[in-house]
Amino acid sequence: TVFDRMVGEMHKRGMALVLDIVCNHSSPHIVGGRGAIYDDGAQIASYDEDSHGWYHHLGEVRDWRNLQQVQDCDLCGLSDFNEESHDFRTYIKEAMKSWLDKGVDAFRVDTVKHMPLWFWQEFVSDMRRHRPGAFIFGEWFMGGAYAADSVQFARQSGMTILDFSLRQAIEEVFARDVYRGFDQIAEVFNHDHLFPTASELVTFVDNHDLPRFLSIRNDPARFRMANAL
């Protein structure tokens, strides 16, 4: 397949493939979609026909300070999975193992703050048992050294996280010329002791969830400097 050829060509060049995966939710529960999941063309679950309890039906998150709502309610109309369903957990883990069998080297795991810690401990344990060398990191939005709950997640979940704290400091230094410059970056590094393996925090300059660097400051030279750092 095209995917198999791509993985093969990447590995020939010494590159690793990171796959962005989602365990928290399916598609938006709108007419014509409704979180439907298919296996070889046969529908096995949907938000509307949920006799096996694969989904939460609690509406949108209303209070972002309420942990139960953050974990169990819908995010932006997306059909929120019920991780307490054994059938769902079996399905999602087997699906991700199939991607590892395809040659995927690492997972970037979406919306990790929206599922309970025990689920991720189970998930990571199963993935590492299946493929011991797999690298796994989570997207805890705006997480990093200054977000205590994300630090706890990185210490206890078995996976590391995207370093939003460093990204923010890099943006302020290179794109916004914020006072104190590189001291802000140094302060992030000075918090490395909070993480059991700080060298596994995933560094990045921008991503799809935030304004791109060049939309903040259209300066390719500064962008190259940020990436070089």
mmCIF file of all heavy atoms in Angstrom, residues 16-47:
data_model
loop_
_atom_site.group_PDB
_atom_site.id
_atom_site.type_symbol
_atom_site.label_atom_id
_atom_site.label_comp_id
_atom_site.label_asym_id
_atom_site.label_seq_id
_atom_site.Cartn_x
_atom_site.Cartn_y
_atom_site.Cartn_z
ATOM 1 N N ALA A 16 11.896 8.587 11.332
ATOM 2 C CA ALA A 16 10.890 7.887 12.137
ATOM 3 C C ALA A 16 9.520 8.494 11.868
ATOM 4 O O ALA A 16 9.396 9.712 11.692
ATOM 5 C CB ALA A 16 11.226 7.997 13.625
ATOM 6 N N LEU A 17 8.508 7.655 11.848
ATOM 7 C CA LEU A 17 7.144 8.116 11.595
ATOM 8 C C LEU A 17 6.384 8.239 12.917
ATOM 9 O O LEU A 17 6.239 7.273 13.658
ATOM 10 C CB LEU A 17 6.408 7.143 10.673
ATOM 11 C CG LEU A 17 4.941 7.487 10.393
ATOM 12 C CD1 LEU A 17 4.838 8.834 9.675
ATOM 13 C CD2 LEU A 17 4.274 6.411 9.558
ATOM 14 N N VAL A 18 5.911 9.445 13.199
ATOM 15 C CA VAL A 18 5.074 9.706 14.374
ATOM 16 C C VAL A 18 3.625 9.790 13.897
ATOM 17 O O VAL A 18 3.301 10.614 13.044
ATOM 18 C CB VAL A 18 5.473 11.022 15.065
ATOM 19 C CG1 VAL A 18 4.596 11.264 16.284
ATOM 20 C CG2 VAL A 18 6.944 11.000 15.456
ATOM 21 N N LEU A 19 2.761 8.966 14.461
ATOM 22 C CA LEU A 19 1.346 8.969 14.081
ATOM 23 C C LEU A 19 0.529 9.674 15.155
ATOM 24 O O LEU A 19 0.651 9.370 16.349
ATOM 25 C CB LEU A 19 0.848 7.535 13.909
ATOM 26 C CG LEU A 19 -0.572 7.381 13.351
ATOM 27 C CD1 LEU A 19 -0.630 7.810 11.883
ATOM 28 C CD2 LEU A 19 -1.048 5.932 13.477
ATOM 29 N N ASP A 20 -0.280 10.622 14.735
ATOM 30 C CA ASP A 20 -1.184 11.336 15.643
ATOM 31 C C ASP A 20 -2.420 10.476 15.858
ATOM 32 O O ASP A 20 -3.149 10.178 14.905
ATOM 33 C CB ASP A 20 -1.550 12.675 15.006
ATOM 34 C CG ASP A 20 -2.328 13.586 15.943
ATOM 35 O OD1 ASP A 20 -2.626 13.171 17.079
ATOM 36 O OD2 ASP A 20 -2.643 14.714 15.533
ATOM 37 N N ILE A 21 -2.663 10.044 17.088
ATOM 38 C CA ILE A 21 -3.793 9.155 17.364
ATOM 39 C C ILE A 21 -4.744 9.804 18.365
ATOM 40 O O ILE A 21 -4.362 10.686 19.135
ATOM 41 C CB ILE A 21 -3.334 7.786 17.900
ATOM 42 C CG1 ILE A 21 -2.661 7.916 19.277
ATOM 43 C CG2 ILE A 21 -2.392 7.109 16.898
ATOM 44 C CD1 ILE A 21 -2.408 6.598 19.967
ATOM 45 N N VAL A 22 -5.991 9.353 18.338
ATOM 46 C CA VAL A 22 -7.026 9.874 19.228
ATOM 47 C C VAL A 22 -7.748 8.705 19.894
ATOM 48 O O VAL A 22 -8.274 7.830 19.199
ATOM 49 C CB VAL A 22 -8.055 10.734 18.467
ATOM 50 C CG1 VAL A 22 -9.018 11.381 19.449
ATOM 51 C CG2 VAL A 22 -7.370 11.786 17.615
ATOM 52 N N CYS A 23 -7.765 8.684 21.216
ATOM 53 C CA CYS A 23 -8.508 7.670 21.973
ATOM 54 C C CYS A 23 -9.695 8.276 22.710
ATOM 55 O O CYS A 23 -10.584 7.539 23.154
ATOM 56 C CB CYS A 23 -7.596 6.985 22.987
ATOM 57 S SG CYS A 23 -6.183 6.120 22.279
ATOM 58 N N ASN A 24 -9.720 9.580 22.842
ATOM 59 C CA ASN A 24 -10.738 10.245 23.660
ATOM 60 C C ASN A 24 -12.100 10.339 22.988
ATOM 61 O O ASN A 24 -13.127 10.263 23.660
ATOM 62 C CB ASN A 24 -10.266 11.662 24.006
ATOM 63 C CG ASN A 24 -11.299 12.459 24.758
ATOM 64 O OD1 ASN A 24 -11.647 12.109 25.884
ATOM 65 N ND2 ASN A 24 -11.804 13.519 24.149
ATOM 66 N N HIS A 25 -12.123 10.484 21.663
ATOM 67 C CA HIS A 25 -13.392 10.768 21.005
ATOM 68 C C HIS A 25 -13.394 10.269 19.573
ATOM 69 O O HIS A 25 -12.347 10.040 18.970
ATOM 70 C CB HIS A 25 -13.684 12.272 21.018
ATOM 71 C CG HIS A 25 -12.557 13.092 20.473
ATOM 72 N ND1 HIS A 25 -11.621 13.695 21.291
ATOM 73 C CD2 HIS A 25 -12.194 13.407 19.206
ATOM 74 C CE1 HIS A 25 -10.736 14.335 20.554
ATOM 75 N NE2 HIS A 25 -11.061 14.170 19.270
ATOM 76 N N SER A 26 -14.597 10.152 19.038
ATOM 77 C CA SER A 26 -14.796 9.854 17.625
ATOM 78 C C SER A 26 -15.202 11.150 16.927
ATOM 79 O O SER A 26 -14.954 12.239 17.438
ATOM 80 C CB SER A 26 -15.860 8.760 17.465
ATOM 81 O OG SER A 26 -16.034 8.424 16.116
ATOM 82 N N SER A 27 -15.862 11.034 15.785
ATOM 83 C CA SER A 27 -16.240 12.207 15.010
ATOM 84 C C SER A 27 -17.351 12.994 15.710
ATOM 85 O O SER A 27 -17.977 12.495 16.653
ATOM 86 C CB SER A 27 -16.702 11.778 13.614
ATOM 87 O OG SER A 27 -17.781 10.864 13.718
ATOM 88 N N PRO A 28 -17.613 14.221 15.281
ATOM 89 C CA PRO A 28 -18.683 15.017 15.906
ATOM 90 C C PRO A 28 -20.036 14.315 15.808
ATOM 91 O O PRO A 28 -20.326 13.667 14.808
ATOM 92 C CB PRO A 28 -18.673 16.321 15.101
ATOM 93 C CG PRO A 28 -17.314 16.398 14.510
ATOM 94 C CD PRO A 28 -16.909 14.981 14.225
ATOM 95 N N HIS A 29 -20.850 14.454 16.861
ATOM 96 C CA HIS A 29 -22.177 13.829 16.818
ATOM 97 C C HIS A 29 -23.154 14.793 16.144
ATOM 98 O O HIS A 29 -23.998 15.441 16.758
ATOM 99 C CB HIS A 29 -22.662 13.393 18.203
ATOM 100 C CG HIS A 29 -22.467 14.406 19.293
ATOM 101 N ND1 HIS A 29 -23.293 15.485 19.481
ATOM 102 C CD2 HIS A 29 -21.542 14.489 20.258
ATOM 103 C CE1 HIS A 29 -22.892 16.188 20.508
ATOM 104 N NE2 HIS A 29 -21.823 15.610 21.009
ATOM 105 N N ILE A 30 -22.992 14.862 14.827
ATOM 106 C CA ILE A 30 -23.872 15.661 13.975
ATOM 107 C C ILE A 30 -24.567 14.741 12.994
ATOM 108 O O ILE A 30 -24.171 13.595 12.798
ATOM 109 C CB ILE A 30 -23.075 16.739 13.206
ATOM 110 C CG1 ILE A 30 -21.982 16.085 12.356
ATOM 111 C CG2 ILE A 30 -22.462 17.747 14.168
ATOM 112 C CD1 ILE A 30 -21.207 17.040 11.494
ATOM 113 N N VAL A 31 -25.618 15.229 12.390
ATOM 114 C CA VAL A 31 -26.371 14.419 11.435
ATOM 115 C C VAL A 31 -25.441 13.974 10.311
ATOM 116 O O VAL A 31 -24.713 14.781 9.720
ATOM 117 C CB VAL A 31 -27.559 15.223 10.860
ATOM 118 C CG1 VAL A 31 -28.265 14.416 9.782
ATOM 119 C CG2 VAL A 31 -28.520 15.594 11.982
ATOM 120 N N GLY A 32 -25.450 12.661 10.026
ATOM 121 C CA GLY A 32 -24.600 12.110 8.986
ATOM 122 C C GLY A 32 -23.284 11.577 9.502
ATOM 123 O O GLY A 32 -22.556 10.909 8.779
ATOM 124 N N GLY A 33 -22.971 11.826 10.762
ATOM 125 C CA GLY A 33 -21.731 11.324 11.353
ATOM 126 C C GLY A 33 -22.010 10.580 12.632
ATOM 127 O O GLY A 33 -21.956 9.367 12.701
ATOM 128 N N ARG A 34 -22.332 11.331 13.643
ATOM 129 C CA ARG A 34 -22.742 10.792 14.938
ATOM 130 C C ARG A 34 -21.767 9.768 15.497
ATOM 131 O O ARG A 34 -22.156 8.757 16.070
ATOM 132 C CB ARG A 34 -24.135 10.180 14.841
ATOM 133 C CG ARG A 34 -25.180 11.099 14.246
ATOM 134 C CD ARG A 34 -25.488 12.287 15.117
ATOM 135 N NE ARG A 34 -26.215 11.943 16.314
ATOM 136 C CZ ARG A 34 -26.672 12.847 17.197
ATOM 137 N NH1 ARG A 34 -26.474 14.125 16.996
ATOM 138 N NH2 ARG A 34 -27.328 12.456 18.265
ATOM 139 N N GLY A 35 -20.446 9.992 15.320
ATOM 140 C CA GLY A 35 -19.456 9.130 15.954
ATOM 141 C C GLY A 35 -19.459 7.696 15.483
ATOM 142 O O GLY A 35 -19.029 6.802 16.222
ATOM 143 N N ALA A 36 -19.916 7.435 14.279
ATOM 144 C CA ALA A 36 -20.008 6.056 13.797
ATOM 145 C C ALA A 36 -18.626 5.456 13.587
ATOM 146 O O ALA A 36 -17.720 6.099 13.083
ATOM 147 C CB ALA A 36 -20.799 6.007 12.504
ATOM 148 N N ILE A 37 -18.470 4.190 13.995
ATOM 149 C CA ILE A 37 -17.223 3.446 13.831
ATOM 150 C C ILE A 37 -17.520 2.186 13.029
ATOM 151 O O ILE A 37 -18.510 1.476 13.297
ATOM 152 C CB ILE A 37 -16.616 3.063 15.194
ATOM 153 C CG1 ILE A 37 -16.229 4.328 15.966
ATOM 154 C CG2 ILE A 37 -15.396 2.166 15.025
ATOM 155 C CD1 ILE A 37 -15.715 4.038 17.351
ATOM 156 N N TYR A 38 -16.658 1.899 12.059
ATOM 157 C CA TYR A 38 -16.849 0.747 11.182
ATOM 158 C C TYR A 38 -15.634 -0.176 11.240
ATOM 159 O O TYR A 38 -14.505 0.267 11.443
ATOM 160 C CB TYR A 38 -17.049 1.213 9.734
ATOM 161 C CG TYR A 38 -18.297 2.043 9.530
ATOM 162 C CD1 TYR A 38 -18.275 3.420 9.743
ATOM 163 C CD2 TYR A 38 -19.488 1.460 9.136
ATOM 164 C CE1 TYR A 38 -19.407 4.188 9.575
ATOM 165 C CE2 TYR A 38 -20.633 2.212 8.961
ATOM 166 C CZ TYR A 38 -20.586 3.588 9.179
ATOM 167 O OH TYR A 38 -21.722 4.337 9.007
ATOM 168 N N ASP A 39 -15.888 -1.448 11.051
ATOM 169 C CA ASP A 39 -14.842 -2.453 10.942
ATOM 170 C C ASP A 39 -15.078 -3.221 9.653
ATOM 171 O O ASP A 39 -16.070 -3.966 9.541
ATOM 172 C CB ASP A 39 -14.876 -3.394 12.146
ATOM 173 C CG ASP A 39 -13.719 -4.373 12.137
ATOM 174 O OD1 ASP A 39 -12.826 -4.240 11.275
ATOM 175 O OD2 ASP A 39 -13.699 -5.292 12.983
ATOM 176 N N ASP A 40 -14.191 -2.997 8.664
ATOM 177 C CA ASP A 40 -14.354 -3.629 7.349
ATOM 178 C C ASP A 40 -15.737 -3.352 6.764
ATOM 179 O O ASP A 40 -16.386 -4.246 6.200
ATOM 180 C CB ASP A 40 -14.109 -5.133 7.425
ATOM 181 C CG ASP A 40 -12.636 -5.457 7.633
ATOM 182 O OD1 ASP A 40 -11.783 -4.627 7.242
ATOM 183 O OD2 ASP A 40 -12.341 -6.522 8.186
ATOM 184 N N GLY A 41 -16.202 -2.127 6.896
ATOM 185 C CA GLY A 41 -17.463 -1.715 6.294
ATOM 186 C C GLY A 41 -18.687 -1.940 7.149
ATOM 187 O O GLY A 41 -19.772 -1.443 6.820
ATOM 188 N N ALA A 42 -18.559 -2.681 8.235
ATOM 189 C CA ALA A 42 -19.705 -2.961 9.119
ATOM 190 C C ALA A 42 -19.665 -2.032 10.328
ATOM 191 O O ALA A 42 -18.632 -1.941 11.009
ATOM 192 C CB ALA A 42 -19.685 -4.408 9.573
ATOM 193 N N GLN A 43 -20.768 -1.333 10.583
ATOM 194 C CA GLN A 43 -20.811 -0.428 11.734
ATOM 195 C C GLN A 43 -20.816 -1.228 13.023
ATOM 196 O O GLN A 43 -21.624 -2.144 13.202
ATOM 197 C CB GLN A 43 -22.052 0.459 11.660
ATOM 198 C CG GLN A 43 -22.134 1.472 12.795
ATOM 199 C CD GLN A 43 -23.294 2.426 12.648
ATOM 200 O OE1 GLN A 43 -23.434 3.109 11.652
ATOM 201 N NE2 GLN A 43 -24.153 2.453 13.651
ATOM 202 N N ILE A 44 -19.907 -0.891 13.927
ATOM 203 C CA ILE A 44 -19.830 -1.608 15.201
ATOM 204 C C ILE A 44 -20.218 -0.734 16.390
ATOM 205 O O ILE A 44 -20.462 -1.251 17.484
ATOM 206 C CB ILE A 44 -18.424 -2.188 15.426
ATOM 207 C CG1 ILE A 44 -17.353 -1.089 15.410
ATOM 208 C CG2 ILE A 44 -18.100 -3.246 14.366
ATOM 209 C CD1 ILE A 44 -15.950 -1.587 15.757
ATOM 210 N N ALA A 45 -20.288 0.583 16.177
ATOM 211 C CA ALA A 45 -20.707 1.468 17.264
ATOM 212 C C ALA A 45 -21.053 2.829 16.681
ATOM 213 O O ALA A 45 -20.568 3.210 15.621
ATOM 214 C CB ALA A 45 -19.600 1.624 18.303
ATOM 215 N N SER A 46 -21.928 3.557 17.368
ATOM 216 C CA SER A 46 -22.204 4.946 17.023
ATOM 217 C C SER A 46 -22.804 5.642 18.232
ATOM 218 O O SER A 46 -23.295 5.000 19.158
ATOM 219 C CB SER A 46 -23.159 5.045 15.827
ATOM 220 O OG SER A 46 -24.490 4.856 16.221
ATOM 221 N N TYR A 47 -22.755 6.954 18.189
ATOM 222 C CA TYR A 47 -23.271 7.754 19.298
ATOM 223 C C TYR A 47 -24.771 7.555 19.477
ATOM 224 O O TYR A 47 -25.275 7.521 20.596
ATOM 225 C CB TYR A 47 -22.952 9.224 19.020
ATOM 226 C CG TYR A 47 -23.224 10.162 20.177
ATOM 227 C CD1 TYR A 47 -22.272 10.351 21.173
ATOM 228 C CD2 TYR A 47 -24.408 10.881 20.243
ATOM 229 C CE1 TYR A 47 -22.505 11.225 22.217
ATOM 230 C CE2 TYR A 47 -24.651 11.762 21.287
ATOM 231 C CZ TYR A 47 -23.701 11.933 22.274
ATOM 232 O OH TYR A 47 -23.929 12.796 23.306
#
